[in-house]
Amino acid sequence: MRGMNDLLPGQSSVWQYFESQVATLMQRYGYDEIRTPVLEQTALFCRSIGEVTDIVEKEMYTFEDRNGDSLTLRPEGTASTVRAAMEHGLLHNQTQRLWYTGPMFRHERPQKGRYRQFHQVGVETYGLEGPDIDAEVILLSARLWKQLGLYEHVTLELNSLGSNEARAAYRDKLVAYFEAHHEVLDEDSRRRLTSNPLRILDSKNPAMADMLADAPRLMDHIDDESRQHFEALTARLDAAGIQYVINPRLVRGLDYYCRTVFEWTTSALGSQGTVCAGGRYDGLVEQLGGKPTPAVGFAMGIERLILLLETLDIVPDEARAPLDVYVLGMDASTDGSAMHLAEQLRDAAPELRVQLHCGGGNFKNRMKKADRSDARLALILGENEQASGQVAIKFLRDERSQQIIAQQDLAAALKSLLAEQTP
Ligand code: ATP
Ligand code: MG
């Protein structure tokens, strides 16, 4: 199906590498994973994301189930997380630091970095109103980029949307400005003028660039408290040595943000350059029927990050999960012993990737399979070795003569051979 990808062998190991880096990092910061269903009541997304956003207006996969209930495949993870946290009482007089990962669905025009089923890792925190938690989630993401070798290739963009009241006042000023420049507005922007004028600031239309550059800046209209919050956040980032650029036109596409918004962007992926985006959404829990609860979060697009790793060619060889050894009997008479040997090896050296030859065949055939596997060594068991408790080690990738060693020394021998072979 268009925009929905199969993840094939070879690619999936890179995903596993990425996912394990994420899971470990979240543990190290004391974040707990939450898993919610991919389906929710449609109303949840309309009420949280906002009726006049791209997502709700045109991107949701919505259908009626057999009971006539309107359901939607989640287009993002924040609404579901808030719903689940409220439903299970996770927000009663306590703070939460949560993370999730999984597929999201948006009916968009598929292109590089933009799909209809895509995957996000997200972080959501609740009950913390100070700028320290804004800084923490940004530091957490920065650490991930460093671990993956991406930090030099991404830019942190920051803005403050101010309080809801300050933003409403600014909105009026902005609409007046846009109305004075009505002739420059494209069709999309004219439509948004009444529904969501802040989003016009986000427009990439070059014909509007000059006009937008001179538009009133949200940052100049935010309330004092939001300004202090923002200054405290940037002070934390400065102290941590995290560089950023303030982008006064960064507004984000979803309705629920206030105060801090941020994006990590890259120039290496063309126009799909945002790899992670988030901010503060203090009003959302209340809007969905809970008690007022401050909240900060972000979501990153896994496909774009993997594309970036591949484009920059910085996926470690280890992440491609090559086999270490391919174990084969010389013929049917040693197949049973070969299987036994492979199992013993898995007991003795759990870190090794061991594949056993299955499917019979003559010796030539078996060796061909060993060569075609990406293993570095083949372990060959003939009748002689079987009888003497030995095994032959053949080097599949180097010009090096075969060795015969005792099976009981095998695990230790392989460890040192594989270590010395590492490029
Ligand atoms: P964009 O401006 O690229 O449409 P967005 O503002 O709609 O992004 P968010 O809803 O903030 O994106 O989602 C967070 C991240 O998820 C994005 O920065 C991006 O990395 C990823 N993402 C969003 N939509 C898609 C998609 N259709 N395909 C792949 N990744 C996506
Ligand atoms: Mg979008």
Side-chain angles (χ1 to χ4, degrees), residues 54-55 59 106 108 114 118 199 253-254 304:
D54 285 349
I55 293 180
E59 294 175 359
R106 298 185 194 176
E108 304 203 64
R114 192 175 293 286
F118 63 99
R199 278 287 273 165
L254 293 74
R304 288 187 198 176

Side-chain angles (χ1 to χ4, degrees), residues 54-55 59 75-76 106 108 113-120 199 202 204 252-254 257 263-264 271-278 298-305:
D54 285 349
I55 293 180
E59 294 175 359
E76 52 106 54
R106 298 185 194 176
E108 304 203 64
R114 192 175 293 286
Y115 311 101
R116 291 180 170 174
Q117 175 173 333
F118 63 99
H119 298 76
Q120 289 182 332
R199 278 287 273 165
D202 228 9
K204 310 272 183 313
R252 308 285 307 114
L254 293 74
Y257 287 108
E263 290 191 356
W264 289 96
S271 53
Q272 266 58 254
T274 303
V275 293
C276 175
F298 66 69
M300 56 182 81
I302 304 184
E303 281 82 357
R304 288 187 198 176
L305 286 162

